[in-house]
Amino acid sequence: MGRHFEVRAAAMAATAKAKSAIYMRASKEIYAAAKSGDPDPASNLALRSAIEKYRKSCPRDVIERAIERAKGGDAVAYIEGRYEFMGPGGCNIIVDTLTDNVNRALVTVRTICTRKGAKMASVAYNFQHLGVLNFKGPSRDEVEEALILGEVDVQSVEADEEGNIQVTVTPSDLEKAKEVLKDLNVTDYDRAELTMMPNDWMELSEEDLGKVRTMLGELDEAEDVQAVYHNIDNI
């Protein structure tokens, strides 16, 4: 069948693997959020946020199955974990896990990272926990004014030439910001989630960049990894 078929098959397999990883993360996070309180997103803020986070990247049935599992007799206890690394070239990497086996998660994450030259180190000081909203809509000035008048604790409002806007707020005001933005007819988000944003970005050499890309790819496929944050600008 030739090289073309092999390349296409490999690309399809990689795409399928990436989708599977996203669906698994979504299912666990939504299940855990639903288990933590009322399995109704109307009254469970954590569940509502988790659903919004994965709404565009997951089929509806993946979300609904996770909620139904939480409503039923399934009693899996997922435990959150966080591991910090100084990576190749001095970059900072934070790996969050959500797992039913803490030892497995630790061994998996540490093995993947150390094989590419990363060492466990305290790097969280270089990140801020923030709510991030990405969308297209009104002008930057309109958005900023509405959020300030709505008494949202805004950290930044940035816009590019194509009309894409990124808003960062304190974590506790993420949902409040969404409510304010409804008045500007902003209801569709490319991204609306809590995340870790670096205070300072850095660029890596091509050699170190290759190591980190491989590392991030392996972490993305790891069963227990829920999110990875870094401060690499040229990746």
Side-chain angles (χ1 to χ4, degrees):
M1 294 183 182
R3 176 66 177 162
H4 176 73
F5 175 82
E6 292 175 3
V7 170
R8 184 169 177 271
M12 290 175 66
T15 300
K17 189 176 288 188
K19 282 185 178 179
S20 177
I22 291 172
Y23 296 172
M24 179 175 62
R25 287 194 290 272
S27 181
K28 286 198 295 184
E29 190 167 333
I30 290 167
Y31 169 86
K35 268 294 187 186
S36 71
D38 190 333
D40 181 358
S43 56
N44 185 331
L45 178 58
L47 177 57
R48 191 159 70 245
S49 294
I51 291 171
E52 179 66 27
K53 177 179 177 179
Y54 291 104
R55 184 172 58 85
K56 287 192 173 183
S57 58
C58 282
R60 188 167 183 80
D61 64 309
V62 170
I63 295 171
E64 291 176 348
R65 280 200 305 269
I67 296 173
E68 288 304 313
R69 279 181 58 216
K71 289 179 181 177
D74 197 330
V76 177
Y78 288 118
I79 301 168
E80 296 179 350
R82 171 162 289 177
Y83 306 98
E84 303 170 39
F85 295 89
M86 183 75 74
C91 66
N92 298 161
I93 298 168
I94 296 177
V95 182
D96 281 351
T97 58
L98 188 61
T99 180
D100 58 355
N101 187 323
V102 174
N103 290 335
R104 181 187 66 211
L106 170 59
V107 170
T108 299
V109 170
R110 187 167 57 189
T111 299
I112 290 172
C113 293
T114 56
R115 270 197 317 225
K116 297 302 175 185
K119 297 179 180 179
M120 297 191 85
S122 297
V123 299
Y125 68 88
N126 192 34
F127 293 79
Q128 292 185 69
H129 188 211
L130 294 171
V132 178
L133 298 160
N134 288 3
F135 55 93
K136 279 199 173 189
S139 71
R140 178 201 171 282
D141 290 344
E142 285 181 278
V143 169
E144 185 172 51
E145 182 179 6
L147 291 170
I148 291 173
L149 291 176
E151 298 184 342
V152 175
D153 190 355
V154 183
Q155 301 298 301
S156 67
V157 180
E158 300 176 5
D160 64 18
E161 295 177 354
E162 297 177 357
N164 298 302
I165 296 176
Q166 177 171 286
V167 173
T168 59
V169 300
T170 55
S172 59
D173 277 9
L174 180 62
E175 293 301 318
K176 188 177 181 180
K178 288 184 190 177
E179 289 300 314
V180 169
L181 290 170
K182 281 183 182 178
D183 293 336
L184 297 179
N185 296 317
V186 177
T187 57
D188 188 27
Y189 296 94
D190 295 319
R191 183 185 185 191
E193 61 182 351
L194 299 178
T195 189
M196 298 293 286
M197 297 281 284
N199 297 319
D200 299 299
W201 296 88
M202 65 177 298
E203 294 196 0
L204 294 180
S205 67
E206 284 301 315
E207 181 181 353
D208 288 334
L209 203 55
K211 293 176 184 177
V212 172
R213 281 178 174 149
T214 301
M215 182 197 308
L216 295 180
E218 292 181 11
L219 288 171
D220 189 54
E221 295 174 6
E223 176 182 358
D224 299 309
V225 172
Q226 198 67 15
V228 180
Y229 311 103
H230 60 76
N231 67 335
I232 306 162
D233 195 31
N234 62 327
I235 198 161

